[in-house]
Amino acid sequence: QLGSLLVTPGARLSWSDRWGDFFAPRLAILTRPREDLAIRASVGRGYRAPDFKELYLSFVNDAAGYAVYGNPALRPERSTSVSLGAEWTGATTFLRATGFNAAYRDFIETLAPDPNGVFTYGNVESGWTRGFEVEGGLLVRDWRLESAVEALWTQDESTGMSLLGRPPVTIRGSVVSPDFMSTYLTLKVSYVGRTPISRDPDGTVTQYREAF
């Protein structure tokens, strides 16, 4: 606690006999200019090693005419991210808004199929994601209603095209019933926007997963 600021530092050290060490510090700050208003900011580094599927998957679907193979030469993802957000809380409502930006090195994505219909995974040398999320909630006679909207922009800096697998729009909503004999019922609904999933060797996006 530093005056009106709550400062939370942290760090993570990852060690791999294959990829070596990675130090990931993080710093988060919270302040409350009013009792019902909180402002948060954070900055940190990130690291994600390729998972088993991305490295070693060997899947063939003869009926559909395609195959997916892992890529043992993948490099780990590294990122630096910042975020800034505010949250207002009332007696029966809350509203939260957050903006964020992440710069990536060696972002892992699925590569376009070759002429034989073989998909694999590769690294994007550098790229970024940025966007904002707005969330809100309302309590109505012990029913809890919540919703959220996220807008996202991405870019592969070598081609200027979008990163794959990241939907530009996501909308979520939920309704939670009042307590009945220590039991709750929850209904959740989500909408995921049209998402790029494949590109040609020049970097142009060639295939999308339709919104659902």
Side-chain angles (χ1 to χ4, degrees), residues 135-153:
E135 304 171 81
L138 176 65
L139 191 63
V140 181
R141 295 184 179 180
D142 295 329
W143 290 81
R144 191 165 76 247
L145 313 177
E146 295 185 5
S147 63
V149 177
E150 179 182 295
L152 181 69
W153 293 267

Side-chain angles (χ1 to χ4, degrees), residues 66-86:
Y66 75 93
V68 185
Y69 293 111
N71 179 1
L74 284 176
R75 301 181 299 275
E77 288 182 358
R78 293 170 168 81
S79 64
T80 301
S81 60
V82 296
S83 68
L84 177 64

Side-chain angles (χ1 to χ4, degrees), residues 121-132:
Y121 301 91
N123 290 107
V124 173
E125 183 176 351
S126 63
W128 51 257
T129 65
R130 61 185 59 144
F132 64 88

